Amino acid sequence: MTDALVEAALAVRLNAHAPFSKFQVGAAVEDSTGKIHTGCNVENATYGLTVCAERVAIFKAVSEGAKGFRRVAVVADTETLTPPCGACRQILWEFCGDVELVLSNLHGKTETIRLGSLFPRAFDASFL
Ligand code: THU
C-alpha cells in the first residue's frame, strides 16, 4: 500500500543539497488538516551549518502556520532505516510531541515507531 507521506519524503529527497556527505535525506510531516510539508537536507561548505531534512520540513511547516502534526516520514538510502539525529529529535518533540514516525528506505522497507521511544525523558516546555 502506498503512503502519500512516504512518497512525499521520497520525492523531496531528490532535492537534497548534499555534495559533501552524498547522503540524501527526505522528510515529510502531516499536519492536523492532512496537509503534507516536506524538507530535504541542506548542507554547507562550513559543514556545521548543515540542516537536516526533518528540521527543514518542520520549520517550513511551522513558518506557514501549520500545527498539530500527526505523522512524520523520513527516507534515506540505507538498509538499516535512518532515524532522526539527536538535534532533530529535540525539535520534533517541541512541535510534534510523541508523534508517529515512519522510517523508510528506497527499497520499500518501512517501520513505524513513536518519537517517544527514540527520545525518552525529553526536556520540554513542561519544565519551564
Ligand atoms: N541527515 C538528515 O538530514 N537527517 C537525518 O535523519 C540524518 C542525517 C543529513 C545531515 C547531513 O546532510 C547528512 O545527512 C549526513 O549526516
Side-chain angles (χ1 to χ4, degrees):
M1 199 187 78
T2 59
D3 181 336
L5 194 68
V6 174
E7 293 299 317
L10 200 58
V12 75
R13 176 183 166 276
L14 298 176
N15 297 332
H17 176 70
F20 308 108
S21 72
K22 318 273 191 228
F23 191 82
Q24 300 175 299
V25 185
V29 297
E30 182 186 321
D31 71 22
S32 57
T33 71
K35 186 172 177 193
I36 291 174
H37 307 261
T38 60
C40 59
N41 52 328
V42 182
E43 298 187 345
N44 185 270
T46 63
Y47 296 177
L49 291 178
T50 291
V51 186
C52 293
E54 296 89 328
R55 272 175 286 159
V56 171
I58 201 80
F59 290 154
K60 279 176 63 191
V62 170
S63 70
E64 287 170 12
K67 44 178 79 80
F69 301 105
R70 306 199 279 223
R71 293 195 307 145
V72 177
V74 181
V75 173
D77 186 17
T78 55
E79 188 46 41
T80 299
L81 298 173
T82 297
C85 78
C88 288
R89 293 176 199 197
Q90 182 70 42
I91 297 296
L92 289 172
W93 187 267
E94 179 80 18
F95 295 104
C96 312
D98 190 17
V99 73
E100 194 172 283
L101 200 53
V102 186
L103 309 179
S104 305
N105 69 12
L106 304 191
H107 307 292
K109 182 175 174 185
T110 188
E111 184 187 350
T112 301
I113 52 176
R114 298 206 79 95
L115 181 60
S117 71
L118 289 182
F119 200 51
R121 217 168 158 176
F123 176 80
D124 59 23
S126 67
F127 290 92
L128 301 176

